[in-house]
């Protein structure tokens, strides 16, 4: 990424994907300054030794970071990621620099995945699939039991959770971002989950069916149609090239299968964040080449049940592959 002015990124209490991508390290309460080819990490004393060992660039211990940043930067303008900046830090920097928001540029740079990023995501996906396939529903009674199992397995296998699991049974599955509760498992169970391997996320959704009632049989048939939609989109991804084309193709398939219009996007980019660029929407024409995508056709019937089938996919510009 070519920037005319220096770039400053901050990693506070929480993980910052752009900070990690640019620095290759995840060190809390640290500032990263990129000025031309010069890379500087300003970090508190407690993190200095670790920073020296892991960061490829100059490391400075700070006592008054804003003052020291002002002294280091000779330019009157400064590039920032507004989306990860606190209001107080923004105000302090605004007093001394003309600020430029490069949030979108940073996200677009991360959109194109290197081979090592694909490999890490693939490992996260495989681990997630193994965990989902290992669920024994006879041993669990409520939604929270499944959530506990997913998190326990994740930790025991040496992974991190990419996001809080969605476990929803029967009518609760009609809410796309439902929070699992002390609710007895019914005949339809939707699970949306992913683990993280070396910071890279997986995102998968599966539906499970217990019993053979009329509603369950209907749901199974609809679930098979969602799988057909996903595989149709994956097989033809080279014909779309951008997020707009993929979104329009998904709408046509939903009409073909006589499903109600999707109430969320057909998917999103996946990487260091579970939701990132490219955007799969008619509003954006983000290029899909060399990106990792979560494609998630879904149908929701209010007061009855919801279904979603989601895979994590890599597209090299010619062929899409389910990881």
């Amino acid at each position: 990424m070519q920037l005319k002015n220096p770039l400053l990124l901050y990693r506070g209490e929480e993980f910052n994907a752009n900070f990690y991508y640019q620095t290759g390290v995840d060190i809390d309460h640290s500032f990263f300054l990129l000025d031309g080819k010069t890379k500087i990490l300003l970090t508190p004393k407690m993190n200095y030794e670790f920073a020296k060992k892991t960061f490829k660039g100059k490391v400075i211990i700070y006592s008054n970071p804003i003052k020291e940043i002002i002294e280091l930067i000779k330019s009157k303008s400064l590039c920032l990621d507004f989306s990860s900046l606190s209001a107080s830090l923004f105000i302090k920097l605004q007093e001394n620099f003309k600020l430029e928001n490069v949030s979108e540029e940073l996200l677009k740079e991360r959109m194109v995945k290197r081979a090592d990023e694909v490999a890490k995501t693939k490992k996260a996906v495989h681990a997630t699939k193994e965990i989902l396939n290992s669920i024994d529903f006879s041993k669990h009674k409520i939604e929270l039991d499944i959530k506990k199992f997913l998190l326990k397995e994740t930790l025991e296998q040496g992974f991190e959770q990419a996001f809080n699991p969605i476990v929803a049974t029967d009518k609760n599955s009609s809410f796309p971002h439902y929070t699992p509760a002390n609710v007895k498992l019914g005949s339809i169970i939707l699970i949306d989950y992913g683990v993280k391997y070396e910071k890279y996320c997986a995102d998968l959704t599966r539906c499970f069916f217990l019993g053979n009632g009329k509603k369950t049989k209907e749901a199974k048939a609809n679930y098979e149609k969602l799988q057909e939609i996903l595989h149709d989109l994956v097989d033809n991804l080279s014909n779309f090239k951008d997020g707009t084309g993929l979104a329009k193709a998904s709408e046509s398939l939903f009409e073909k299968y006589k499903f109600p219009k999707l109430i969320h996007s057909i998917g999103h980019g996946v990487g260091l964040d579970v939701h990132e660029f490219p955007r799969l929407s008619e509003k954006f024409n983000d290029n899909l080449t060399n990106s990792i995508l979560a494609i998630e056709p879904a149908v929701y019937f209010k007061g009855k049940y919801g279904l979603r089938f989601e895979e994590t996919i890599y597209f090299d510009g010619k062929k899409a592959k389910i990881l």
Side-chain angles (χ1 to χ4, degrees):
M1 181 177 61
Q2 297 294 323
L3 297 174
K4 293 180 180 179
N5 298 305
L7 169 69
L8 182 70
L9 298 174
Y10 177 59
R11 198 293 198 189
E13 294 282 354
E14 303 296 332
F15 176 74
N16 181 331
N18 286 326
F19 180 96
Y20 179 80
Y21 187 84
Q22 296 294 328
T23 65
V25 296
D26 182 29
I27 302 175
D28 62 282
H29 299 95
S30 297
F31 294 85
F32 170 64
L33 175 61
L34 177 64
D35 192 351
K37 292 184 178 180
T38 302
K39 296 181 178 181
I40 301 173
L41 194 72
L42 294 93
T43 190
K45 187 176 182 179
M46 65 178 182
N47 292 333
Y48 178 73
E49 291 301 326
F50 180 65
K52 284 286 288 183
K53 183 179 179 180
T54 57
F55 177 67
K56 295 179 180 179
K58 185 177 181 179
V59 180
I60 297 173
I61 298 173
Y62 70 71
S63 54
N64 185 336
I66 301 302
K67 181 183 176 182
E68 288 161 39
I69 287 166
I70 293 167
E71 291 173 353
L72 284 167
I73 299 173
K74 306 307 178 186
S75 171
K76 293 181 180 179
S77 298
L78 184 61
C79 295
L80 294 170
D81 176 13
F82 283 18
S83 65
S84 64
L85 212 60
S86 69
S88 61
L89 184 55
F90 178 88
I91 290 168
K92 289 176 184 177
L93 291 170
Q94 193 177 42
E95 292 172 353
N96 296 278
F97 301 99
K98 180 181 178 182
L99 304 182
E100 179 186 354
N101 184 16
V102 293
S103 298
E104 189 159 315
E105 288 86 342
L106 291 165
L107 285 166
K108 284 183 176 178
E109 184 179 18
R110 283 169 44 206
M111 195 164 67
V112 178
K113 298 297 191 288
R114 304 182 306 267
D116 65 298
E117 294 179 287
V118 178
K120 289 172 184 176
T121 306
K122 185 175 181 179
K123 188 156 186 174
V125 170
H126 283 198
T128 304
K129 288 182 177 179
E130 286 183 5
I131 292 171
L132 290 173
N133 291 335
S134 70
I135 300 171
D136 182 351
F137 289 96
S138 68
K139 295 181 179 180
H140 307 291
K141 295 183 179 181
I142 60 174
E143 293 171 346
L144 285 174
D145 288 343
I146 303 295
K147 177 182 177 179
K148 289 175 185 176
F149 172 81
L150 296 172
L151 296 179
K152 179 174 176 288
E153 286 295 306
T154 299
L155 290 173
E156 287 183 353
Q157 293 186 30
F159 299 98
E160 296 178 71
Q161 65 184 80
F163 55 94
N164 281 323
I166 295 172
V167 182
T169 190
D170 292 344
K171 64 181 181 180
N172 293 337
S173 59
S174 66
F175 306 118
H177 281 181
Y178 174 79
T179 300
N182 186 22
V183 177
K184 186 178 179 181
L185 297 177
S187 59
I188 299 167
I189 303 165
L190 181 152
I191 301 176
D192 188 339
Y193 187 54
V195 308
K196 190 185 290 189
Y197 174 71
E198 292 189 7
K199 308 297 184 186
Y200 284 84
C201 304
D203 191 4
L204 299 166
T205 305
R206 294 291 187 267
C207 291
F208 301 88
F209 305 95
L210 311 178
N212 291 296
K214 183 179 179 181
K215 183 179 74 172
T216 308
K217 288 180 180 178
E218 175 195 286
K220 281 183 179 179
N222 284 329
Y223 188 58
E224 288 176 5
K225 291 176 184 177
L226 291 176
Q227 293 178 63
E228 290 172 13
I229 289 173
L230 182 137
H231 288 291
D232 193 309
L233 292 172
V234 171
D235 291 343
N236 292 286
L237 204 56
S238 61
N239 297 325
F240 311 139
K241 295 296 182 183
D242 60 30
T244 299
L246 178 57
K248 288 181 178 178
S250 69
E251 283 193 4
S252 297
L253 286 169
F254 270 69
E255 290 175 4
K256 173 184 173 182
Y257 284 95
K258 296 181 173 56
F259 280 152
K261 190 173 181 178
L262 197 56
I263 59 177
H264 51 69
S265 69
I266 188 61
H268 50 86
V270 181
L272 291 169
D273 287 323
V274 74
H275 290 93
E276 57 180 52
F277 286 13
R279 295 158 292 188
L280 309 184
S281 164
E282 291 186 32
K283 296 178 182 178
F284 306 101
N285 60 348
D286 293 347
N287 193 299
L288 304 181
T289 301
N290 293 323
S291 66
I292 296 177
L293 312 169
I295 297 180
E296 49 182 331
V299 61
Y300 307 100
F301 300 104
K302 186 177 179 181
K304 292 179 65 180
Y305 63 85
L307 304 167
R308 187 161 65 248
F309 182 68
E310 181 179 25
E311 293 278 20
T312 304
I313 293 141
Y314 173 64
F315 178 54
D316 66 7
K318 295 180 180 180
K319 186 177 180 181
K321 182 180 180 181
I322 296 174
L323 296 178

